Amino acid sequence: MIDRIWRDVIALSAWGIAIPWCVRTSALIQNFSLVPDLSWLDWNVSPTGTPGLIVVVTARDEADNIAATLDTLLAQDYPYLRVLAVDDRSVDATGTIMDEYAARRPDRLTALHITKLEEGWLGKTFAMQVATQSSDSEYLLFTDADVLFSPSILRRALAYAEQSQAAHLVVMPTAQVRSRGEGIVLGFIQMLGLWASRPWRIADPKAQKDIIGVGSFNLVRRDALEAIGGLEPQRLTVLEDVILGRRIKAAGLPQRVAFAPGMVLVHWAKGMGGIVRAMTKNLFSAFNFRPFLLLGACLWIVVFCLLPIAGLVWWVTLLPALLVLSCVAVTYRELSAVSEVDARYGWLYPLGALIFMYGMLRSMVVTWVNRGIIWRGTLYPLRELRRFNSPFQWRSKN
């Protein structure tokens, strides 16, 4: 009798995992095509009117990457564009390279140099603030110093932003995968991202949990940024790109997302180890530096991503386990069409899950040991960061 009860409990639990996977995957299949793809010929158009665009490139010690990024920005075919390259206290040749480009193209590029960080700000957010205050345009594009842009992507993005009346537009970047380790981790991260935010619900103002923000391509209307108080309210947010998206959505302003395979390229980090090290700064902050929240997320990954594999060995849980693995395969296949991360990395998704959890735990331990985050040469204490990094801080009051 007891054995039967336990068998029924395990079977129900297995189906309790499989059903949400089936629901989410079904929604993906039905709605993924609703997200615009700016690489299509239909979007090879210009925006109505002549909206001005300032591209803000913030960089610290990016001498190896900044020239390639600036080259692709200066090659853009949209004429009403200026680039603000912000050197954030670099100790390498980043600032010199920016000045050389500014001297060659003063009509299109201006270099700004930050020599001292204002107290109470994170370095990147302060650099973005300085650029915002030093410019005047209808649109601002915040991006990083290691992103490569197709010549027409900014024109296409502005056309979509104008047509959809977007206050905030994110164009999802295409990851440059240069090793198997990178593909394993990035493949799992993009699959996990669908559980955090559904791209087809981003435009729905009622879907408050579905928000978007990507540091590689955060396009925002200046009047929208001013309406939410600018960047000062999030001056100590670690995930400044996500928080900007959260604030835009909470304010009820139109938010949009688009794909553009191969048109916005970024290499996140070198190798599996590089990605883990990059996650060390960010992941704990996503849980407002609360261990129980991070450990709860780890438990969710174990239950929803790893336990179904164990279900393959028992006939009672075999069918729901196969359904989960089928959903994982479908998700990888659908996402690979726009992310260009090979769907075959889905075979190794359990390894990706384990590495991602290791990155989460490493982020927590390192942050606790340091009693804060060390970023761009500055230590930010936990007591200050917690006030600005709660995932519940910016939500609609409606």
Side-chain angles (χ1 to χ4, degrees), residues 110-335:
T110 302
L112 301 176
H113 299 274
I114 295 174
T115 57
K116 182 179 180 181
L117 177 64
E118 186 170 320
E119 185 176 354
W121 286 79
L122 262 74
K124 181 178 179 180
T125 312
F126 182 62
M128 293 164 60
Q129 172 77 351
V130 170
T132 301
Q133 293 177 336
S134 304
S135 62
D136 184 17
S137 62
E138 293 174 65
Y139 287 91
L140 291 157
L141 172 64
F142 296 112
T143 188
D144 295 324
D146 55 357
V147 185
L148 304 178
F149 299 87
S150 171
S152 66
I153 185 57
L154 298 189
R155 171 172 53 81
R156 292 170 184 247
L158 278 174
Y160 175 55
E162 289 277 284
Q163 184 187 101
S164 62
Q165 299 181 326
H168 176 224
L169 168 64
V170 167
V171 175
M172 296 300 294
T174 301
Q176 293 182 295
V177 179
R178 298 176 182 172
S179 73
R180 185 172 298 169
E182 294 174 18
I184 291 170
V185 181
L186 292 174
F188 179 77
I189 289 174
Q190 67 178 14
M191 181 185 74
L192 192 64
L194 284 181
W195 288 89
S197 184
R198 297 161 292 183
W200 56 91
R201 297 294 305 277
I202 296 299
D204 185 354
K206 297 179 181 178
Q208 285 291 309
K209 294 182 180 179
D210 296 293
I211 60 97
I212 193 72
V214 175
S216 304
F217 202 109
N218 258 343
L219 178 69
V220 62
R221 275 203 332 256
R222 186 180 293 270
D223 59 357
L225 185 61
E226 293 172 350
I228 63 173
L231 293 167
E232 196 275 340
Q234 62 174 89
R235 59 189 181 275
L236 279 174
T237 53
V238 178
L239 295 172
E240 86 295 327
D241 48 0
V242 176
I243 294 301
L244 177 60
R246 190 178 299 279
R247 293 175 63 212
I248 291 282
K249 192 68 173 279
L253 298 172
Q255 188 172 73
R256 301 289 186 267
V257 64
F259 297 123
M263 302 191 80
V264 181
L265 302 177
V266 62
H267 183 225
W268 295 108
K270 184 178 180 180
M272 182 186 296
I275 294 177
V276 170
R277 287 189 293 273
M279 292 191 296
T280 299
K281 172 182 68 69
N282 294 333
L283 287 181
F284 197 26
S285 71
F287 303 95
N288 195 27
F289 307 101
R290 304 295 180 183
F292 69 92
L293 290 177
L294 183 142
L295 293 174
C298 286
L299 179 61
W300 186 95
I301 292 173
V302 169
V303 171
F304 274 80
C305 299
L306 297 179
L307 272 186
I309 299 172
L312 295 172
V313 302
W314 192 22
W315 67 269
V316 173
T317 55
L318 178 60
L319 180 57
L322 288 173
L323 283 173
V324 170
L325 296 181
S326 297
C327 289
V328 170
V330 170
T331 300
Y332 268 77
R333 185 196 67 197
E334 292 290 321
L335 290 173

Side-chain angles (χ1 to χ4, degrees), residues 57-63 65-66 86-92 94-95 98 114-115 117 123-124 127 145 375-378:
V57 185
T58 59
R60 178 179 170 88
D61 298 336
E62 291 282 0
N65 301 311
I66 187 64
V86 187
D87 170 27
D88 179 18
R89 300 165 292 145
S90 296
V91 295
D92 66 0
T94 299
M98 289 179 176
I114 295 174
T115 57
L117 177 64
K124 181 178 179 180
W375 191 20
R376 293 186 171 183
T378 303

Side-chain angles (χ1 to χ4, degrees), residues 1-13 314 316:
M1 180 67 177
I2 294 177
D3 289 344
R4 180 179 297 176
I5 291 174
W6 275 109
R7 185 185 67 185
D8 292 343
V9 168
I10 293 173
L12 286 173
S13 299
W314 192 22
V316 173

Side-chain angles (χ1 to χ4, degrees), residues 78-101:
Y78 185 66
Y80 308 103
L81 172 153
R82 284 190 59 85
V83 178
L84 273 181
V86 187
D87 170 27
D88 179 18
R89 300 165 292 145
S90 296
V91 295
D92 66 0
T94 299
T96 301
I97 295 171
M98 289 179 176
D99 287 337
E100 291 172 354
Y101 273 82

